[in-house]
Amino acid sequence: MNHDVLLRSSGVVSGESDLWCTYAAVRTLSWLGRIGDLPSPGTVAGFLASRRNADGGFAWSAGMTSDAWATYYCTQALAELPADARAAAGEASSAWVWSTLHADGGFAMTPGQASDVWATYYAVRTLVEIYGERPREALFDWLAALQAEDGGLAWSPAHAKNGTSDVRACYYAVTAWSTATGGRGPLPWNRERLTAWIRARQSTAGGFTFQAGDTTDCLWATFRATGALARLGERPRDPEGCVGWIRQRLHPDGSFTRWPGYPVPDVWAAFCAVGALRELGADLDDVADGVVRTVLSFRTPQGGFTYRAPDLASDVLTTSAHLLAGRFADAGARDALRWTESCVLPNESGVMYMPGRGSEVRCTLWALSAGAFRDDAPARAAVADWLTGAIQNPDGGFGYWEGRASDMVSTCAAAETLRMTTEEPPAAALRGIAGYVASCETEPGRYANVPGGRPTLRATLQGLRALHRATGGADGTRVADALTRHRVRGGGFANEGNRVPDLLSTYEAVLTADVFGLPLDADHLGAFLDSVRTADAGFAWTPLMATSGGPLADCLGRRLELRLSSARHALPPLALS
């Protein structure tokens, strides 16, 4: 089987472009006045345009639902490209962005989801900078409610009541205000307390951390802190020390690394360093050539960028998929696991999708399912503490990463991860999970991904599994009813209706049936696997596709094959969407 996947001692490489990396690369080149150095900008525009959905929004990857995060990155990066390149991307509309406006005045990542400051920042910048439209006045009341007792700003008004301030939240909120008002409107917060809180995050070394109590400075925090202060008309407590600390991150290869001791120059380190130096008014001429040369080396054949040289850009999901599918010899598996376990930020305990990014709930579940930290009890305990402390939202649910509003996929992934990392999760955390799941119930036994959303098979199965993990009291008859509704006669299960089956829904159907002790229809599953098996022994996402869906699809298909062969091959609790 050939997926153009290259194994390195650091993990497994997918070879694919990443949206966030592509945005960061394009923005960095633009800030340096070097967008003209970008070879074939039309291919970059083509990659970005491939993320557009029929509803007018953009998605993280082709086939996923639109969200404010992806829509911001795609439209902003397209706007930086030459006009003749971006023309091929077609016309877009602001209607989808407005569909994410929440009744409380903030914006949600997807329609119907709770508002958060990440999504509000993305939506406001997209509306103002791309479409030339102004947010409504209710936005400013929502932003004002983000100030916590300590003076900093939090992820949402509900987070602010618990005192959860973060430098990133400060930047996103202040920038949303500045973008909406041109920096001239009344400030919604107490300026002195907010400025003091941000300045207090600077260490004596010169860099910044995200939160009070963090121990390691990083470029991401430094960029967001300097950006927030600049929009407030303020400076860091020690601006010269900050410039010096940033320049200490300059690698001999010509670009930057994220934090002390982290050895690899990557695209977001370049993005953060250049961005922070610009905010501080520092000269960039002496670093521009090296940064541009390094960033351009991160281009992929698909037209976008990844986080480092493509043949070395391992990621946790692809590596975990190979481990779970048994694609390694013993020594290779050990090396891959050790690399996966290293993908943890200094101030967080969850696992990142790619090194240098923030920890993500789904990636942490995939890594643990693949065997990460199996023999490291302190690391597993730290993951559990991270889930129940830093990132469980006030509504009891979980989002993809810290500060992002809750959804069913992430909440179920968190419940499964807690089961794997601690024998006795805190009762309050489990009650919160059960409460969030209940808020997503549209009618008895049917669940949506977010409150008020449309019920689907996967959201229903995830909700029932999360309830089972949290309370032990979920009803197996509800699982049986859901499987009956979405069972496709010719094999497999459909997420909506019962006509077109797909691999994700079928995997979750078999997984959930096993959890609740329901029997497996081997002939039905076998027929589905035959319909999605590809000529190269991989697996397609649906029978309508002729080629493999890549390492993640192949992993799910292979695990279903093993389950079909024997009940002893239990399915790991994997979820993607």
Side-chain angles (χ1 to χ4, degrees):
M1 180 166 35
N2 178 16
H3 299 303
D4 297 321
V5 176
L6 301 174
L7 175 64
R8 292 292 181 267
S9 60
S10 57
V12 181
V13 175
S14 72
E16 297 180 356
S17 301
D18 178 82
L19 176 55
W20 190 17
C21 298
T22 301
Y23 164 81
V26 171
R27 199 69 143 178
T28 303
L29 294 173
S30 177
W31 283 338
L32 292 170
R34 302 284 289 272
I35 202 72
D37 289 24
L38 181 63
S40 187
T43 62
V44 179
F47 166 74
L48 295 167
S50 72
R51 270 46 186 170
R52 177 179 288 138
N53 288 323
D55 60 12
F58 291 76
W60 172 48
S61 63
M64 294 186 70
T65 57
S66 300
D67 64 44
W69 176 88
T71 299
Y72 167 79
Y73 284 129
C74 287
T75 57
Q76 292 279 344
L78 283 166
E80 300 285 4
L81 299 176
D84 57 342
R86 64 175 183 266
E91 293 297 325
S93 163
S94 65
W96 184 86
V97 182
W98 281 115
S99 75
T100 67
L101 179 63
H102 194 278
D104 62 12
F107 288 83
M109 201 67 76
T110 61
Q113 199 169 18
S115 56
D116 65 61
V117 77
W118 296 87
T120 299
Y121 162 82
Y122 297 136
V124 169
R125 290 199 66 176
T126 303
L127 287 170
V128 175
E129 297 176 359
I130 302 300
Y131 299 115
E133 300 179 15
R134 287 181 56 82
R136 296 167 189 169
E137 287 301 315
L139 168 70
F140 302 106
D141 290 336
W142 188 89
L143 290 172
L146 298 178
Q147 190 155 34
E149 185 176 350
D150 60 11
L153 305 182
W155 304 115
S156 73
H159 283 88
K161 294 177 182 177
N162 298 327
T164 310
S165 298
D166 190 285
V167 158
R168 290 164 293 189
C170 295
Y171 171 81
Y172 298 135
V174 171
T175 304
W177 163 79
S178 177
T179 301
T181 65
R184 294 182 294 274
L187 193 68
W189 313 285
N190 181 292
R191 177 186 295 273
E192 290 73 21
R193 294 174 63 234
L194 174 56
T195 301
W197 188 89
I198 298 172
R199 283 176 169 160
R201 305 285 73 76
Q202 187 178 19
S203 75
T204 55
F208 284 78
T209 60
F210 290 127
Q211 299 176 353
D214 288 352
T215 57
T216 302
D217 301 347
C218 82
L219 269 176
W220 190 10
T222 301
F223 176 32
R224 293 320 192 195
T226 55
L229 289 169
R231 283 154 184 77
L232 292 168
E234 306 287 351
R235 302 268 288 170
R237 174 181 51 77
D238 179 9
E240 291 77 16
C242 189
V243 171
W245 183 88
I246 295 168
R247 288 184 168 274
Q248 289 170 16
R249 307 280 74 74
L250 192 62
H251 191 273
D253 287 348
S255 194
F256 293 87
T257 62
R258 270 278 299 275
W259 58 79
Y262 184 72
V264 179
D266 58 39
V267 71
W268 29 76
F271 168 75
C272 292
V274 171
L277 290 171
R278 287 177 74 249
E279 299 287 9
L280 291 163
D283 182 61
L284 289 162
D285 290 345
D286 62 324
V287 302
D289 287 344
V291 171
V292 171
R293 182 178 64 252
T294 303
V295 168
L296 290 178
S297 74
F298 301 160
R299 289 183 301 140
T300 73
Q302 291 86 19
F305 289 75
T306 187
Y307 71 97
R308 58 181 299 195
D311 62 343
L312 295 173
S314 309
D315 72 79
V316 164
L317 286 178
T318 303
T319 301
S320 298
H322 274 65
L323 286 163
L324 288 160
R327 305 296 184 197
F328 291 102
D330 288 347
R334 285 193 296 272
D335 289 344
L337 274 177
R338 297 294 84 76
W339 177 81
T340 300
E341 292 169 344
S342 74
C343 293
V344 177
L345 284 173
N347 300 310
E348 295 182 357
S349 298
V351 180
M352 303 175 276
Y353 168 52
M354 291 174 169
R357 290 172 71 148
S359 299
E360 299 182 15
V361 174
R362 292 175 307 168
C363 296
T364 301
L365 176 61
W366 276 71
L368 289 166
S369 296
F373 309 125
R374 186 171 292 158
D375 302 318
D376 189 342
R380 293 197 307 276
V383 170
D385 290 344
W386 169 71
L387 285 172
T388 58
I391 69 165
Q392 187 167 22
N393 288 324
D395 62 11
F398 293 79
Y400 286 173
W401 57 74
E402 183 173 359
R404 181 161 173 174
S406 303
D407 63 81
M408 188 67 83
V409 177
S410 303
T411 300
C412 181
E416 297 284 12
T417 300
L418 285 172
R419 181 182 65 88
M420 300 169 70
T421 54
T422 179
E423 293 183 0
E424 294 187 16
L430 298 180
R431 286 196 301 272
I433 290 171
Y436 178 75
V437 172
S439 74
C440 295
E441 191 171 30
T442 61
E443 57 184 282
R446 301 189 187 201
Y447 296 85
N449 189 46
V450 296
R454 186 176 66 252
T456 63
L457 174 63
R458 292 203 294 272
T460 294
L461 298 179
Q462 290 158 4
L464 291 170
R465 288 205 314 277
L467 281 176
H468 179 71
R469 301 306 186 198
T471 69
D475 188 350
T477 61
R478 296 285 172 83
V479 175
D481 291 344
L483 296 181
T484 299
R485 286 195 304 273
H486 294 277
R487 178 186 172 98
V488 179
R489 181 180 301 176
F493 294 83
N495 194 40
E496 299 186 45
N498 62 355
R499 296 176 62 86
V500 181
D502 67 86
L503 184 57
L504 277 174
S505 299
T506 301
Y507 186 93
E508 295 228 27
V510 178
L511 167 64
T512 310
D514 283 351
V515 168
F516 283 84
L518 301 179
L520 173 70
D521 185 337
D523 291 340
H524 184 254
L525 176 58
F528 171 74
L529 290 174
D530 287 343
S531 74
V532 293
R533 195 175 284 108
T534 60
D536 61 355
F539 290 88
W541 288 114
T542 77
L544 303 179
M545 300 172 63
T547 59
S548 166
L552 303 188
D554 293 345
C555 169
L556 298 182
R558 176 57 180 156
R559 296 301 308 203
L560 283 172
E561 277 188 329
L562 291 171
R563 173 64 185 85
L564 187 60
S565 70
S566 173
R568 66 184 178 86
H569 292 296
L571 293 180
L574 307 175
L576 278 175
S577 69

